[in-house]
Amino acid sequence: MPTVSVIIPAYNHEKFIRECIQSVLDQTYQDFEIIITDDGSTDHTVDVIENFDDRRIKLFKHLKNKGVSVAANNCLQHASGNYVAWLSSDDAWYPEKLAVQVKYLDEHPEIAAVFGKVEWIDEFGNTIQQFPYINIFNVENRTRYEWLRQFFAVGNCLSIPCSLVRRECYSEIGMFDPVLAGMPDFDLWVRICLKYDIMILDKKLIRNRWISDERNESGGTIKNHIRNRFEYRQVLNHYLKIEQPDDLLLIFPDAVRYGKVTVKTIPYFLARIAIASGLDFKMLWGLDVIYGLFQDEKMARVLEDKYKFTYLDFIQFVKECDSFRLAERQLFMEQVQTLTEQVAEKDRGIQSLTEQAQAL
């Protein structure tokens, strides 16, 4: 049985998959298996994979595309190692990646997952020196409570191809959510940190590829942003699994401004924190949570008696929290109307001058 299972969900990466697999085979640490699930590629990705002759490579093929999480879960179901390392099929590891991370997890049994720092490369393998996301994954280590606060407030800042996770974590918290396409890793980090500590090593371990025309699944297209906001909102539901007031306060020390936390009112505090963020999808999530609480008459009385928060307070909250950004749209339309009127006034002025000129 190998120590490490390297899982590679692959899709239409014939240009990069050879370098990806070779970066695993070139590791200084060699006790691994490579489990690849091709997710219905329509290019020559499978042909490139099958050209490798190494008994440690196991290839599974989906006849049609099912999504990255489904492909990753198929890899996990066939994994037998104590540790699991995800490698995206367009990325590549530094040769010492596995050796460094296996050593760390062997020596720190209390840590569930270990990460490193990232070097960004373009589609030709050139190092990218400057672009908007250059330092998004090069972060300092935090406690799990600090990570949970960071995730709630900011979002994902951990690179899954730069991770090594204990396989038992997947047995405990579950595999990847098949419905998520942009944030299955973010969803996983939240679930892990609700139970375990993680570690960021101050060492570059991966070459993370950025494709210039935003063809990455995480590319900054408007459609991806729309999808990610929806998925982020679903990930927030995991915070409702917090069971103890002390845990909530370790994650969100400022929650005390809303009163004294009890076991039953943890969702109320989470909702207030989300609403206070001012972000539309978080406000909507928070309003939905409080709405659900008010469906229970006993909880409604608790909110009124303990926190002076009534049905009418909530109704006012709903009006003030512009979760659908209608005020912003109205302002935009007013600005458009003003500009239209200004243009029309200039046109009338030009028409008047033209008529005067013609009369001379």
Side-chain angles (χ1 to χ4, degrees):
M1 179 183 298
T3 299
V4 178
S5 293
V6 180
I7 65 172
I8 304 178
Y11 180 67
N12 282 354
H13 276 159
E14 63 176 349
K15 184 177 178 181
F16 311 119
I17 189 67
R18 183 183 303 279
E19 179 184 0
C20 168
I21 296 173
Q22 194 62 51
S23 76
V24 182
L25 298 177
D26 290 343
Q27 289 293 297
T28 59
Y29 184 90
Q30 288 285 303
D31 186 14
F32 58 75
E33 63 180 354
I34 303 175
I35 303 173
I36 306 172
T37 297
D38 179 77
D39 195 27
S41 292
T42 57
D43 63 2
H44 296 287
T45 295
V46 170
D47 295 333
V48 176
I49 297 169
E50 290 180 336
N51 278 332
F52 282 91
D53 183 18
D54 193 300
R55 59 181 178 80
R56 294 172 295 182
I57 298 175
K58 303 173 185 176
L59 174 61
F60 299 90
K61 306 172 192 176
H62 287 167
L63 297 180
K64 61 180 181 179
N65 185 252
K66 298 182 178 181
V68 64
S69 294
V70 175
N73 285 342
N74 183 69
C75 292
L76 282 172
Q77 288 167 353
H78 292 90
S80 58
N82 295 326
Y83 303 135
V84 175
W86 168 311
L87 180 55
S88 301
S89 55
D90 57 345
D91 295 331
W93 285 339
Y94 280 26
E96 67 275 17
K97 193 265 188 188
L98 288 181
V100 169
Q101 292 184 320
V102 168
K103 182 176 186 294
Y104 186 87
L105 288 184
D106 283 347
E107 295 175 351
H108 298 84
E110 75 283 3
I111 300 297
V114 61
F115 301 78
K117 300 297 175 68
V118 170
E119 174 191 7
W120 286 96
I121 58 174
D122 62 22
E123 56 190 301
F124 305 105
N126 302 312
T127 300
I128 300 175
Q129 300 294 343
Q130 196 63 249
F131 85 123
Y133 308 110
I134 195 73
N135 288 315
I136 189 172
F137 297 134
N138 292 332
V139 293
E140 300 303 315
N141 197 52
R142 296 174 169 90
T143 68
R144 70 184 184 93
Y145 301 108
E146 291 169 334
W147 279 119
L148 288 168
R149 181 162 64 251
Q150 176 78 4
F151 295 152
F152 196 96
V154 178
N156 192 20
C157 51
L158 300 176
S159 170
I160 192 166
C162 199
S163 68
L164 187 67
V165 181
R166 295 186 189 276
R167 188 164 173 267
E168 63 195 63
C169 289
Y170 291 103
S171 300
E172 178 68 23
I173 66 172
M175 297 191 291
F176 296 99
D177 187 336
V179 182
L180 302 183
M183 294 189 167
D185 52 341
F186 180 44
D187 178 79
L188 179 68
W189 308 146
V190 171
R191 286 185 283 138
I192 285 179
C193 286
L194 283 168
K195 290 180 174 291
Y196 308 106
D197 278 303
I198 62 175
M199 182 65 186
I200 312 295
L201 302 178
D202 189 20
K203 186 176 180 62
K204 284 188 177 180
L205 298 174
I206 185 173
R207 288 159 58 84
N208 206 323
R209 195 178 306 274
W210 184 261
I211 300 175
S212 58
D213 62 1
E214 306 282 11
R215 283 182 287 121
N216 302 66
E217 190 63 42
S218 56
T221 64
I222 186 63
K223 288 187 176 181
N224 283 351
H225 283 307
I226 292 170
R227 178 204 62 203
N228 287 347
R229 291 169 88 84
F230 171 81
E231 293 188 3
Y232 199 147
R233 187 178 165 198
Q234 310 315 308
V235 172
L236 292 177
N237 289 326
H238 292 306
Y239 285 82
L240 297 173
K241 300 173 185 176
I242 298 171
E243 297 179 345
Q244 298 301 322
D246 287 347
D247 287 337
L248 179 79
L249 292 173
L250 284 170
I251 301 168
F252 304 107
D254 292 344
V256 294
R257 61 181 168 170
Y258 301 118
K260 184 177 180 180
V261 187
T262 68
V263 171
K264 291 185 177 181
T265 59
I266 286 175
Y268 169 73
F269 282 82
L270 288 168
R272 292 296 300 266
I273 294 166
I275 292 168
S277 73
L279 290 175
D280 50 10
F281 69 96
K282 289 185 183 180
M283 289 193 295
L284 184 58
W285 180 83
L287 292 174
D288 281 344
V289 170
I290 295 179
Y291 178 85
L293 295 175
F294 271 124
Q295 302 312 297
D296 183 331
E297 290 186 7
K298 291 183 179 179
M299 181 57 67
R301 287 196 295 271
V302 169
L303 294 181
E304 180 173 0
D305 294 342
K306 286 185 174 294
Y307 308 110
K308 310 303 178 186
F309 194 82
T310 67
Y311 293 118
L312 290 178
D313 291 320
F314 178 67
I315 291 170
Q316 187 62 30
F317 249 49
V318 172
K319 291 194 294 183
E320 293 175 356
C321 296
D322 189 8
S323 55
F324 297 101
R325 304 172 74 173
L326 297 182
E328 181 180 322
R329 294 177 188 177
Q330 181 178 354
L331 177 61
F332 175 75
M333 294 305 298
E334 290 173 353
Q335 291 173 337
V336 170
Q337 180 64 28
T338 298
L339 289 172
T340 301
E341 292 173 355
Q342 290 174 349
V343 170
E345 181 65 27
K346 288 182 179 180
D347 286 344
R348 286 192 293 270
I350 292 172
Q351 179 65 29
S352 177
L353 290 173
T354 301
E355 291 173 353
Q356 292 175 27
Q358 290 174 343
L360 291 177

